[in-house]
Amino acid sequence: AELFAERARQFRGWGIPRGVIERVRARIDDAWRDGAGGWTTEWVREGEAAERAGRSLLASACYGAAKFPSLVTAARREAYARQLACYLAAARGFPCAFERRELAVPY
């Protein structure tokens, strides 16, 4: 509950509708567990629904919420990959052009 209170405004700023946020909030009962009721799983479900509806930018935002706050699990890394793919799909309809560059950064 505290995490949602803290992040709902941020997610709204990303373009996630209030209704989607509330729907996900009602299903999540654990921020760290993978599986039903877990943060990543429930946000991914919303991302998949948006993707099926052809709403790539919304799907990207939902997958971004799914990977929040860090890429510490395989499920969150997968959500990040899906976020990027959906964003690139949505970008084809943007009224501007951009070039994506990937850099390898040692860590």
Side-chain angles (χ1 to χ4, degrees), residues 56-57 59-61 81-92 94 98:
S56 297
L57 192 56
S60 176
R82 293 175 85 173
Q83 177 189 20
L84 291 176
C86 286
Y87 187 83
L88 291 173
R92 289 192 285 267
F94 291 173
F98 66 92

Side-chain angles (χ1 to χ4, degrees), residues 16-97:
I16 300 174
R18 184 172 282 111
V20 172
I21 294 168
E22 292 304 319
R23 201 166 44 240
V24 174
R25 182 188 310 223
R27 293 193 314 254
I28 292 176
D29 59 20
D30 188 298
W32 299 106
R33 180 182 68 240
D34 282 336
W39 180 276
T40 301
T41 299
E42 299 304 335
W43 277 111
V44 164
R45 283 178 58 191
E46 290 296 328
E48 290 170 341
E51 206 171 350
R52 282 191 304 272
R55 300 183 68 191
S56 297
L57 192 56
L58 174 58
S60 176
C62 289
Y63 291 133
K67 70 158 175 66
F68 180 85
S70 62
L71 302 173
V72 296
T73 67
R76 290 175 190 231
R77 288 187 294 276
E78 174 64 21
Y80 179 57
R82 293 175 85 173
Q83 177 189 20
L84 291 176
C86 286
Y87 187 83
L88 291 173
R92 289 192 285 267
F94 291 173
C96 61

